[in-house]
Amino acid sequence: MDLTLNWYLSLSAVLFTIGVLGVLLRRNAIVIFLSIELMLNAVNLTLVAFSQAFGDVTGQILVFFVMSVAAAEAAVGLAIIIAIFRNKVTVNVDEINLFRG
Amino acid sequence: MLAPFLFFLFAVLAVVGALGMLISRSPVGSALWMVMTLFAVACLYLTLNAAFIGVIQVIVYAGAIMVLFLFVIMLLNLEVAPRLGRLNGGKVVAFALGVAVLAQLLVVVALRLDVAPGALATPEAAAEAASAHNLGVALLTEHAFALEVIGVLLLAATIGAVLLAKKRFV
Amino acid sequence: MELPVLLILLPPLIGAVLNGVVGLFAPGYRRNEWLIGGLATAAVALPFAVAVSLFLGFHGEGTGHGAEVVRYFTWLAAGDLSVDFAYRIDQLSLVMALIVTGVGALIHLYSIGYMHGDPGFWRFFAYLNLFIFAMLNLVLAENLVVLFLGWEGVGLCSYLLIGFWYTNLKNSAAANKAFIVNRIGDFAFLLALFIVFAVVTDGREGAFGFDFTTLLASETLALFGAGTTLLVVLLFFVGATGKSAQIPLFVWLPDAMAGPTPVSALIHAATMVTSGLYLLARLSPMVLRAPTAMAVIAVVGALTAVVAATIAITQNDIKKVLAYSTVSQLGFMFMAAGVGAFFVSIFHVMTHAFFKGCLFLGSGSVIHAMHHVEHDLEHRGLIPGHHGSGAHSPHESEATQHPLRHDPLPYDGPFDAQDMRTMGGLRKSMPITAITFLVAALAIAGLPPLAGFFSKDEILFKVFEFGYNDQAWAFLVWGVGIFTALLTAIYMGRCYLLTFEGRPRWPGALDVKPHESPWTMTVPLVVLAFLSAVGGFLGLPAVLGESWIHHWLVEEGAGPVAEPAHELHVSHGMEWGLLGGGAAVAVLGLFLAWVRWGRRGLEADASLRRRLGFLYTLWSNKYFVDEIYDETVVSPVVEGSRRGLAPFDQKGVDGAVNGVARLVRGVAGRLRGLQTGVVQTYALYLVLGVVLVITLMLFV
């Protein structure tokens, strides 16, 4: 069958959804982060797919930037987790609820 | 013939890896499944003739970011998560939401929203466009400002991460 | 004309604010009685001088009936309503302004002596000036809204001044009563205003501001149908009964005697109570178009006059006698208004201001002297002392008791400086007060050639003339008027005789004598007595000469006060007969009074009680009107409020307000649960929101 753009987009959608489920369902902060990375990857896939379809390099430039930001975000986020862990000795998000109303 | 086969192979690998990451009870396991996913996605980039990006994916994501994750997991010495907990309302809602998101995305794709500016490119043209040379030219001319900003962002992230993770501020 | 009007209106206001504010914030100022009193008196004397100069220079040319209208600025402007702060200088308003400021200035002077030593001296003069300001607004107003402003203002000042010694609950209750009863009248006034507005704006183009030039023009008056005119006039009349103490709203005036006597003189004799008459005179073109209403006005006036006169004969408090006398004389004025002789009612307003003002000030002088007598008697132990403590204890009297015999008082309770039963023979110690009081009493009785004779007789004549013109009911009114004139002479004679003649009836009268009042009090008495004597010549009846006041106010159809056209005129011979009859009635009444009270003193009261029996009880209890009102109106309203409105307010209104607060708090408490503090929950909300938005975008 014809390998069109839609296959890649569908795959990207599935990966994105799995990432969303990970963010909403898992209680371990690290795994939540991994899920976020997964979502970003899904988006990257979409961008590259479009870029290939239209022959436009802008999509891949964007992927470039997304990756950089993801890297920066991962670094800072993990540093935060480490800092929290120092205080509460847990990465279970259910227990990190100081902002409870 | 080859292209669809490759696509499906790597697609399945990616999804399996993602699901594995989702379901795995140990954080190390999750990280490793994630690595598998990242590799699969990198191969998918290659099938899309985006060679440079594919390599960058492996180097940056799988090589640097995942290593960082594993470092932190080891550092925190996390325990294995217990078996699946009780099914409560929140989990059901979350699952339903996830399904809704998937449904919406697929609907959008199916609707074939035509935002294309014209004909699709050929694989050779795409490969030519995605070459490192063209990417570099575009980065340093059209998107030079963004490039600089990214640089500053990375600097800020570095400083921030170091400060946050230190034991004491002085 | 703008400056003179300002010079009339503003000085009293400035005086009130100055005395009030400085007195309030600088307690040291309050001791300068001459400064305060002088300032306040000057603030009324200046407008009087300006009014006199305007009066002398009034030419009767210019707009309409010679009136001059001064507009200052627009006060209210909304849709068809456009009310200005505008004042009118014409014959009627000038006469009223002269009375208000002239008599007012005299009473201010009097008050300096009367209120001497009172800790609220500064407050008194501030209120008094404020009253003059409000009253001037009332009489000089060019439109009904500014008039109503003055109307309400005098009601307010009346309340403030009646309850001046507010530490005594009785005084505050009297002030409340005055204000609340007045309010009923004011409500009717407002209803009349609303109807006028509706009718006039319906039938006429452009904005309407209740101004008299527009309202009283024949085209505007023609817009009102017969029924509407009747209703409007009756509503205005109800308002007038409130302010001018006629049946059914007169009950506040006797109670208002709780205020200081200058207040009774100024407000409840000379000025405020005449506002109702002024209103009718001002609206005379409209009133003349409602003959049924006029009949009602005349009958109510007559009824009030006779009822009040019968009560006055039985009263022992000198101020109460004068209060009921005022109600009765106001009834006379309404009788005149009811037969269309508005200018005569204004004439009687003027003469009444002179003699009633003099009578009240004279009674104040007497009360002032009797207060000194009371202090003296307490000091000597001849009566139980109670000043300063408010209640007299039997132990106290024993402690100060002297071996002197002290007679029991002819009434229950402590010594009352206002009760005539413990007065008598004051002519010898207070000659000026006695003579001025006598002159004023003769004037009100209607003895020629004093002022009261001319004004009262003119009223009765006009009533008779009205009856002569095929309005037979007017003859009945005339008859009631004649009878009331007789009663007036009787009770005024009794009042004078019991107070000033005979032997002193207070305990220890041989040793304790009163003394004449200071010049600040006697000078106004003399001036007013003089005016009571000669004031009548302003309005001579037709047989005797030209009536200046008729010419001034009515000006053969061109003046501000209208009058009905009569076909039949009473012959000169009959007019002489009526004049003579009126004089005879006055002489007869005075003679009867002298025979009974002049010769027998208090014993005549007892014999009268025996003769009249049940009637006397009815009269001395003022026909039980207060009790009836209490039963039928006041108690149900109070009970209804307590049972119905109070719970509604506490549970309904408060409940609703508190309920809203509880609801908000409850909802907020529930919503708090949404903020779990767990970031994952917030991520959930985020995704939920995104899903919803995308659904909307896709399918809407």
Side-chain angles (χ1 to χ4, degrees), chain C residues 1 28 151 174 210 238 393 410 412 418 424 444 462 471 476 479 519 549 566 610 623 673 684 693:
Chain C
M1 188 54 77
W151 188 274
F210 294 99
V238 173
S393 64
D412 300 322
Q418 297 182 188
I444 194 177
K462 286 293 179 191
Q471 307 276 351
L476 259 175
W519 69 269
I549 193 139
H566 284 311
R610 279 195 306 272
Y623 291 79
L684 187 74
V693 168

Side-chain angles (χ1 to χ4, degrees), chain C residues 229-483:
Chain C
T229 319
L230 175 65
L231 183 62
V232 169
V233 171
L234 278 180
L235 283 171
F236 275 127
F237 174 59
V238 173
T241 59
K243 260 301 178 275
S244 302
Q246 297 295 292
I247 292 174
L249 296 174
F250 69 95
V251 290
W252 63 271
L253 190 56
D255 282 50
M257 296 299 114
T261 311
V263 171
S264 309
L266 181 61
I267 300 184
H268 307 125
T271 45
M272 181 179 107
V273 292
T274 58
S275 338
L277 275 314
Y278 170 76
L279 180 71
L280 287 182
R282 181 58 82 189
L283 293 175
S284 46
M286 184 185 271
V287 179
L288 282 175
R289 298 168 88 97
T292 321
M294 284 170 62
V296 170
I297 294 175
V299 169
V300 169
L303 212 62
T304 312
V306 73
V307 161
T310 52
I311 299 178
I313 295 184
T314 63
Q315 295 299 307
N316 288 310
D317 184 328
I318 189 173
K319 282 181 75 173
K320 285 270 180 8
V321 175
L322 295 176
Y324 284 107
S325 170
T326 306
V327 174
S328 179
Q329 294 300 305
L330 288 167
F332 268 103
M333 298 177 212
F334 277 100
M335 275 164 62
V339 296
F342 300 100
F343 78 95
V344 182
S345 68
I346 297 293
F347 182 37
H348 200 58
V349 164
M350 189 172 77
T351 57
H352 181 263
F354 298 151
F355 50 67
K356 194 46 73 57
C358 184
L359 286 171
F360 263 112
L361 293 186
S363 75
S365 176
V366 166
I367 294 168
H368 189 79
M370 292 310 290
H371 266 304
H372 285 298
V373 166
E374 185 183 1
H375 281 278
D376 226 350
L377 291 177
E378 278 173 10
H379 190 66
R380 293 166 189 243
L382 290 171
I383 53 170
H386 68 285
H387 274 274
S389 65
H392 65 250
S393 64
H395 305 284
E396 215 176 31
S397 65
E398 284 182 275
T400 57
Q401 198 154 339
H402 282 222
L404 283 171
R405 179 192 64 136
H406 61 110
D407 313 303
L409 298 170
Y411 44 79
D412 300 322
F415 184 84
D416 188 353
Q418 297 182 188
D419 200 309
M420 292 190 292
R421 292 174 288 193
T422 42
M423 293 181 190
L426 290 177
R427 181 161 59 88
K428 299 194 187 65
S429 12
M430 307 176 67
I432 305 182
T433 309
I435 298 205
T436 52
F437 198 91
L438 180 63
V439 170
L442 293 176
I444 194 177
L447 197 70
L450 303 174
F453 167 69
F454 287 111
S455 58
K456 196 185 302 186
D457 250 58
E458 196 62 15
I459 294 177
L460 291 172
F461 175 70
K462 286 293 179 191
V463 175
F464 189 84
E465 193 181 49
F466 202 75
Y468 204 68
N469 276 275
D470 293 324
Q471 307 276 351
W473 56 266
F475 285 123
L476 259 175
V477 172
W478 179 83
V480 171
I482 287 285
F483 178 60

Side-chain angles (χ1 to χ4, degrees), chain A residues 23-26 32 93-94 96-97 99-101, chain C residues 672 675-680 682-685 687:
Chain A
V23 166
L24 296 180
L25 288 174
R26 293 294 305 249
I32 292 178
V93 292
D94 280 344
I96 306 172
N97 58 0
F99 273 148
R100 195 175 159 79
Chain C
R672 255 174 76 194
Q675 297 195 310
T676 56
V678 176
V679 180
Q680 219 174 16
Y682 302 152
L684 187 74
Y685 299 147
V687 175

